[in-house]
Each structure stands twice: as C-alpha cells, then as structure tokens.
Amino acid sequence: MCFHFETPEKPDSFIAFLEKHGFSKTQVTNIIRRQPHLLVFDIEKTLFPKIEFLYSIGFSKPDLTKLLTSYPGLFRTSLEKQIIPSFNVLRNMFQSDDKAIKVIKWFTSILSRNLDSQLFPNMDILRRNGVPESNIVTMLLRQPRTLMFNSVRLKEIVEEVKRTGIDSSRMKFVEATFALRSMSKSTLEKKFDIYRRWGWSDQEIHEAFRKYPKCLTVSEDKIMAVMDFLVNKMGFNSTLVAKQSSILRVSLENVIVPRALFAQELLSRGLVNNDLTLSALFDASEEVFLRSVEYVGSGSHQAKPRLNNAAKWGFPGQRQRVETLAWTLALSTAFFSHLLQSDPSMFILSNIKTWVLPRICSGSFESCSLEDP
C-alpha cells in the first residue's frame, strides 16, 4: 500500500512520537511496514491516549515497545469501546492487575478480540463438563490463546478427552483438551502413526496420553529421535516408554543421552542394581537426581545414604566412590552435553569409558580438570 503526503509533517510526527516513547528505528520501521495507516492517525486524539492508558495500568516503557511492535494493530483498536472493557474483564477474572497484564503480554490481541463471542462460550463449555473455574482461569493465565477458537471444535475435543477417562475435575483434563486443540486432525493422526511405528497399540497410545497429554504435542522429529535412542541404542522396550510417556518432554541432548549412557556404564560395572526405572533416570530434576546417588560420610569407617533411593539403588558403601559419582553425574549434563557432536551417544560413551569410569574406580578426580584428556 502506498501513501502520498503533501508534507512530511504527519509521518515525521508519528516517527518522533514512537521514538519519544522508546521505540528503536528498527521497531518503528517494522510497525510502519505492518500498519502503514498509522502514519495518518491523529497522534493526540488516537495514539497518545492508548499509550497513556497502558502506562497507567502498569506497563513499563520497555514492555510497551515490545508489545506494540509485536502487535501494532492495538494502535487501531478503540480505547473506550474495546481496550478498556477487555482489560476490565481480565482484571475481574483474575482479581489481579498483574495477572491481567501477564496475559496481555502473552497474547496482546486479546485486547482486540470480542470476548463475548470468542472467549466466554468456550469457558461455558468447560464449566458444563465439570471443569472447575480455577482450572479454566489457570489455563487462561498460562496459555491465553488456547481458549480463543471455534466453540464447535472445542465441544468435539472435550468429548474426545472425556472418552479417554480423564477426570474433568483434574487439571490434566484441561491440559489434554488444549493438547488436542493445538493440532489439526491430520497432524494428530500422524503422531498416532509414528507411535504405532514403534510398536505401540492404540490402547497404549491412549494410555500414554492419559498419563501425559503433551506426549502428542511433541514434534515428530523429537519422538523419532528419543525412541530411536532409547529403543535402538539403549535397548529399552518401546512399551516401557509408553508407560512413562512424560520422558518425551525431556531434552534428549541435555538429559536423556547423558543420564542413560552414564547409568548403562554403572550397571555394567555393578555399581547400581538393574531395577532403575525410566522415571528415576529422566523425570527427576537435576538436584533430585544428584541427591539420589549422593552419600554423605559421617566418619572414616561408615557412610550413610542421604535419601532412601540411594540405598535402594544399591551403591557400594565406599564413601569416596559414591561422592565421586555425584560429582561425575553433574558432569553428565554439564560437561558431556556441552561436548555433544553429530553422534552424541558414541561420543559420550567413549568419554565415559576412557576418562570418567576409570577415575570413578580409582577415585582420582581430586586433581583432574575439564581439560584432562
């Protein structure tokens, strides 16, 4: 679209107005490219009041530059008829200005939407199906975009989730609903086909979904990569992954590969029992994972487990070996993951065999550094 100005006064004034409020030249250019009509708007009557209102409810100058650059259409939205009423609805819903502002930051166009026709009907559908108000509000706060879509499709999805047996009073019901909402039917079928390719039955896929709804939102590439590593390289039965589908959310490079290969080497040397579960290996946070294998010695002739898990896993009682294991486990995600190459499993396995494990057995970490060969 091309505009012709008799004088540069209006466009210059608009650019000066934005720069005065902290917009960079790049941001100004992006706004004009996306909303060229703004060049002819009356700054004092149309643009300035909106900026003032957003400042008044708690947005900072950096907030506003980011907000309006990502969604310059807000400049064209009526302040009195749309922006203020929408903000008041959000503030009343959350009983908090800060939470309303958080939602606007995540999904700025919500201030321009007709909430009566796009939001409230979907909230009513969830209520009628037994979803607690607190869960609806929580989901809106976390992912405001998810509730702004076709009500007919939402009804279909809610019925699909109900058939899985997930209790509608649980937060997992809402998570499952919006996991399905995030993809088309064709994409959903592709995800099913990928899991079937790894030997999962439809019943196992539905069970995995019940346990961890987001297993269907994981990208196709990541599903293939995680399953290939766990099944083909580590030898896990694919149905075990179906029973612990939450591990699909975990980073392959930073968590799964280092921990799995490290555990494999410990098992091969008899340092742990062979009853390690996928959950124990991959679902635990880094802190919990390290604590599960850390012993604290209380004297030269005895060592006590800090957590029951450590005793259950059957680590030997030598204080130095176990303390060294904890140190090495820290490296498994900090050091090894940093050094991942095109074939991470072979690289890490090689380093564990040639550098880490010999030092575990000899207790020779005291003087080594990351530069050691």
Side-chain angles (χ1 to χ4, degrees), residues 158-216:
V158 166
E159 290 303 316
E160 290 177 34
V161 177
K162 287 168 67 175
R163 285 194 290 271
T164 68
I166 299 175
D167 184 349
S168 63
S169 67
R170 299 179 61 194
M171 191 65 197
K172 187 177 288 186
F173 185 92
V174 180
E175 293 172 349
T177 298
F178 293 109
L180 296 184
R181 175 259 184 271
S182 68
M183 68 191 85
S184 65
K185 292 181 180 179
S186 60
T187 299
L188 180 61
E189 187 57 32
K190 287 180 182 178
K191 299 289 179 69
F192 267 70
D193 285 341
I194 291 174
Y195 286 125
R196 290 177 186 129
R197 210 179 306 165
W198 286 101
W200 294 16
S201 66
D202 283 7
Q203 182 179 348
E204 287 172 325
I205 297 172
H206 283 109
E207 182 61 29
F209 178 72
R210 277 195 294 273
K211 290 181 177 179
Y212 183 65
K214 291 182 180 179
C215 70
L216 290 179

Side-chain angles (χ1 to χ4, degrees), residues 15 99 158 168 196 212 271 294 305 326 328 360:
I15 293 171
K99 289 180 179 179
V158 166
S168 63
R196 290 177 186 129
Y212 183 65
L271 297 177
E294 184 183 26
T328 309
I360 288 178

Side-chain angles (χ1 to χ4, degrees), residues 210-249:
R210 277 195 294 273
K211 290 181 177 179
Y212 183 65
K214 291 182 180 179
C215 70
L216 290 179
T217 67
V218 178
S219 72
E220 297 174 30
D221 288 344
K222 185 175 182 184
I223 293 172
M224 292 297 294
V226 171
M227 294 298 292
D228 177 63
F229 177 75
L230 292 177
V231 176
N232 294 334
K233 293 185 178 178
M234 296 304 302
F236 286 106
N237 190 308
S238 68
T239 58
L240 290 179
V241 184
K243 293 176 181 178
Q244 195 62 47
S245 53
S246 60
I247 69 172
L248 290 162
R249 68 178 169 79

Side-chain angles (χ1 to χ4, degrees), residues 41-59:
F41 275 36
D42 188 309
I43 292 174
E44 293 301 321
K45 291 183 179 180
T46 306
L47 304 182
F48 182 70
K50 293 167 187 173
I51 291 279
E52 282 294 287
F53 173 73
L54 294 171
Y55 281 144
S56 72
I57 63 176
F59 284 98

Side-chain angles (χ1 to χ4, degrees), residues 253-255 258-259 286 290 326-340 348 370:
E253 292 81 7
N254 296 329
V255 177
R259 290 189 187 184
E286 186 75 358
L290 292 176
W327 189 90
T328 309
L329 283 168
L331 285 181
S332 72
T333 53
F335 175 57
F336 291 136
S337 297
H338 177 69
L339 297 175
L340 288 175
I348 293 177
L370 295 183

